[in-house]
Amino acid sequence: MFTETDLEQIYKEGLHPDGIKEQLDIFIHGIPFAKVVTAASIGNGIELIGKVDQQKLADLFEEKKGDLDLVKFVPASGAATRMFGFLHRFLEEFEPDNMKLNDYIKSQSDATLSTFLESIKEFAFVDQVRKKIREHYPDNRLGTKGMRASIFVRMMLTEMGLNFINMPKGLIPFHKYSKYSTTAFEEQLYESSYYASAKDEAFLHFTFSESHVDFFKNEFEDVKRRVTKKTKTKFSISYSFQKKETKTIAVSEKNQPARNAAGELIFRPSGHGALLENINDIDADVIFIKNIDNVVIEELAENSSFYKKMLAGKLLWIQNKVFGYLRILAENKCDSEWIKEVKSFLWNELNIKDIPDDFERIQDILNRPIRVCGMVKNIGAAGGGPFWVDDVMGKTTLQIVELAQINLKDEHQKIITSQATHFNPVDLVCGVRDYKGKKFDLLKFTDPTTGFITKKSENGVPIKALELPGLWNGAMAEWNTVLVEVPLSTFNPVKIVNDLLHGVHCPNL
């Protein structure tokens, strides 16, 4: 199937032909859909913790964190392309010499563009864009309304201007304060001082694209003094890239290896599940995971951070119980009453319903990585959520499932999906060391059958791509999982640029 040139390319990518053949088999035979049994909800897989107990858990974490290795892990390699999708279309379609801006706006199916243009002054990057306009279009004020709008967007997005369309989302100015503006990257640093720091030092790990490393390094040098002064915290930054060997081959619609115009095989990033490899390289007691764009303005950071501390306290409480049970098992000091207690704990705290009587199997269930996930109510955001799922052996487990994993053509599965009350986790707090202090090999606790095949295009040609099990989906399928409801105020992603107009992103409101 592969030529000598193909093999050279495969090895150069850090891959192996046998692995590529396995991927091709997956395309041919498909990936079985997840069989969702019921949506998780409060009291059925998701815990609602009262205010008093929330405070106790947050206090527990504050009490213990000085003796812990803490790391905040932030996936930050995503480009900002989707943030500005509607503006990119505007540049391609609008002809300022031949069209009136109002006519074009009226032709749009929604108010997204008009909202942006009416709110330009509110964005943190407005002064930077205007500076570029003065450099390249000194007579801009003399142009028509449509011409001025077109130039503004061009200076925002293109290489001639700020080149936002090709920048990582983490380096786009998000928040405008009276004397300065901040990026999502800086806000992640600021926020981490509240919960991911101990002894006045915070450790953060970002995943970047290799081409963006210098930009992030320069940004850190620019903001380090300011954020350190405000938080009285020293920030230690490390970073990594999505590993080359996690790429997957793309295929044609007929499941043949896809090739580019030069005849080379096409390999694609395999989704955020590939970042499990990066997390597996981190050795810490507690790892906080949070997406780069889920930030708030400084005045709201402390309140938002309270819930991170609460989740971390819940993790420590769970770990204390689990580690105690494992030590008793190791010393063979268990009796029938003790077994009843452990089974009750597995059922009520770890959502494990198929509980064996065998001591070794109980030990195996307990001795796993632990994740505590902050879950928000589903208000219509796109994406998956928590479900009880039957595996091929008939065992029912609590999982985070992407919609792409569910057969929505099956009416029964579609109905169950529509009953979801909560969204994908907005925060994860992970315990990746065992009761002896040894780090788990996280790659041993995944479900490789939970990846999914997506449809893409390469230079206008339809292709199919294979994504690894998602980071908080199949990549963590065999972890012990605790789901805790957290307020919607902790969920503030910036999917499109207009999201920056919401109050949580506007210091002046």
Side-chain angles (χ1 to χ4, degrees):
M1 181 180 295
F2 296 122
T3 66
E4 286 297 321
T5 303
D6 291 338
L7 293 173
E8 286 182 17
Q9 184 187 354
I10 289 169
Y11 286 119
K12 188 176 180 180
E13 291 282 353
L15 304 170
H16 192 279
D18 290 345
I20 300 302
K21 289 175 183 176
E22 289 177 6
Q23 292 174 16
L24 293 173
D25 284 340
I26 292 173
F27 281 113
I28 292 168
H29 299 294
I31 297 174
F33 287 110
K35 184 181 178 182
V36 294
V37 179
T38 185
S41 57
I42 299 297
N44 183 32
I46 302 176
E47 184 177 359
L48 180 62
I49 301 176
K51 289 290 185 183
V52 172
D53 287 332
Q54 285 181 2
Q55 188 63 59
K56 287 180 179 178
L57 290 171
D59 291 343
L60 173 65
F61 174 67
E62 285 287 354
E63 177 189 341
K64 301 292 185 182
K65 72 176 187 179
D67 298 322
L68 300 172
D69 296 327
L70 309 175
V71 173
K72 181 178 180 180
F73 181 90
V74 184
S77 53
T81 310
R82 293 180 184 175
M83 267 185 75
F84 305 108
F86 71 96
L87 293 175
H88 188 63
R89 288 194 303 275
F90 170 65
L91 280 187
E92 290 183 331
E93 296 173 355
F94 180 65
E95 300 174 6
D97 292 331
N98 302 317
M99 296 180 181
K100 290 186 177 180
L101 180 61
N102 287 343
D103 290 341
Y104 179 82
I105 289 174
K106 288 178 182 177
S107 72
Q108 301 303 295
S109 59
D110 58 45
T112 308
L113 177 62
S114 60
T115 298
F116 174 82
L117 294 176
E118 290 167 5
S119 309
I120 279 176
K121 293 180 181 179
E122 304 301 322
F123 291 104
F125 45 74
V126 62
D127 290 338
Q128 293 173 258
V129 177
R130 286 173 172 169
K131 182 179 179 182
K132 286 291 182 181
I133 291 173
R134 288 193 295 271
E135 290 176 9
H136 294 280
Y137 298 94
D139 298 327
N140 176 63
R141 292 184 179 182
L142 303 178
T144 64
K145 185 178 179 182
M147 181 66 75
R148 294 197 304 273
S150 178
I151 287 173
F152 187 93
V153 175
R154 186 176 299 117
M155 289 298 96
M156 269 181 63
L157 301 187
T158 67
E159 290 184 18
M160 182 190 295
L162 300 179
N163 199 25
F164 281 175
I165 201 76
N166 294 313
M167 291 293 287
K169 189 185 287 188
L171 295 183
I172 303 296
F174 268 29
H175 301 154
K176 181 169 67 172
Y177 299 96
S178 58
K179 295 182 179 180
Y180 57 87
S181 295
T182 59
T183 62
F185 174 78
E186 182 175 352
E187 296 292 13
Q188 290 281 0
L189 298 178
Y190 181 84
E191 178 193 280
S192 69
S193 68
Y194 284 102
Y195 62 88
S197 65
K199 299 175 182 176
D200 299 324
E201 185 168 13
F203 292 87
L204 295 93
H205 185 95
F206 292 84
T207 58
F208 305 148
S209 296
E210 289 190 58
S211 60
H212 294 151
V213 172
D214 287 340
F215 295 111
F216 276 101
K217 284 184 174 180
N218 291 338
E219 175 72 3
F220 181 54
E221 290 304 314
D222 288 344
V223 306
K224 180 169 60 175
R225 183 176 178 182
R226 178 168 67 212
V227 73
T228 298
K229 184 178 179 180
K230 283 189 295 186
T231 63
K232 296 179 174 56
T233 301
K234 176 184 176 183
F235 295 93
S236 296
I237 307 294
S238 60
Y239 58 89
S240 62
F241 318 120
Q242 188 165 315
K243 298 183 179 181
K244 285 200 311 180
E245 57 268 29
T246 63
K247 286 185 177 181
T248 53
I249 194 167
V251 299
S252 68
E253 291 183 304
K254 294 184 178 180
N255 296 320
Q256 296 298 310
R259 297 179 183 275
N260 60 21
E264 299 170 323
L265 297 169
I266 297 174
F267 295 98
R268 295 180 58 88
S270 54
H272 59 64
L275 296 180
L276 184 69
E277 295 259 7
N278 304 65
I279 296 175
N280 200 38
D281 291 336
I282 297 174
D283 188 5
D285 290 301
V286 177
I287 301 177
F288 295 89
I289 302 177
K290 188 175 187 184
N291 282 339
I292 186 69
D293 63 332
N294 186 15
V295 292
V296 293
I297 54 177
E298 290 175 6
E299 63 198 75
L300 301 178
E302 184 173 7
N303 177 67
S304 178
S305 298
F306 169 81
Y307 296 98
K308 316 297 185 294
K309 292 190 284 188
M310 181 267 288
L311 296 173
K314 181 68 175 181
L315 172 68
L316 296 184
W317 184 87
I318 292 285
Q319 277 187 329
N320 184 58
K321 300 287 285 187
V322 168
F323 291 174
Y325 292 146
L326 285 168
R327 291 187 184 100
I328 291 172
L329 276 168
E331 296 170 4
N332 200 23
K333 293 182 178 179
C334 35
D335 55 26
S336 59
E337 285 301 312
W338 182 87
I339 289 296
K340 286 182 182 178
E341 178 186 335
V342 174
K343 286 186 173 183
S344 175
F345 175 82
L346 291 173
W347 181 281
N348 293 308
E349 297 294 343
L350 297 184
N351 299 295
I352 295 169
K353 307 307 182 189
D354 298 302
I355 305 172
D357 293 316
D358 181 81
F359 287 179
E360 287 188 11
R361 290 179 65 195
I362 289 176
Q363 186 175 38
D364 175 66
I365 291 172
L366 287 169
N367 197 28
R368 299 182 181 189
I370 303 170
R371 57 173 173 164
V372 178
C373 309
M375 314 297 295
V376 296
K377 289 180 179 177
N378 190 330
I379 54 170
F387 293 89
W388 290 96
V389 179
D390 274 353
D391 65 16
V392 292
M393 303 299 291
K395 184 173 69 172
T396 304
T397 60
L398 183 62
Q399 301 290 342
I400 307 296
V401 185
E402 291 290 349
L403 292 184
Q405 296 175 253
I406 302 172
N407 182 10
L408 296 178
K409 293 180 180 179
D410 181 312
E411 193 60 30
H412 182 60
Q413 294 285 282
K414 186 177 180 180
I415 290 172
I416 294 172
T417 304
S418 70
Q419 295 170 343
T421 59
H422 289 71
F423 186 61
N424 277 341
V426 298
D427 288 289
L428 287 88
V429 186
C430 304
V432 297
R433 288 178 178 167
D434 66 16
Y435 73 104
K436 294 181 179 179
K438 182 181 178 182
K439 191 184 78 66
F440 288 108
D441 178 359
L442 303 181
L443 304 181
K444 294 180 178 179
F445 299 91
T446 67
D447 181 353
T449 69
T450 55
F452 39 92
I453 296 169
T454 57
K455 293 183 178 181
K456 305 286 184 180
S457 67
E458 183 78 15
N459 295 325
V461 179
I463 60 173
K464 294 195 288 187
L466 176 64
E467 294 204 7
L468 293 175
L471 185 58
W472 41 77
N473 312 112
M476 296 181 174
E478 301 297 329
W479 291 42
N480 284 327
T481 297
V482 177
L483 308 181
V484 177
E485 183 176 280
V486 292
L488 274 169
S489 61
T490 64
F491 183 52
N492 302 287
V494 178
K495 299 305 180 185
I496 66 169
V497 64
N498 287 3
D499 289 338
L500 292 173
L501 299 173
H502 298 162
V504 293
H505 297 296
C506 298
N508 299 321
L509 293 183

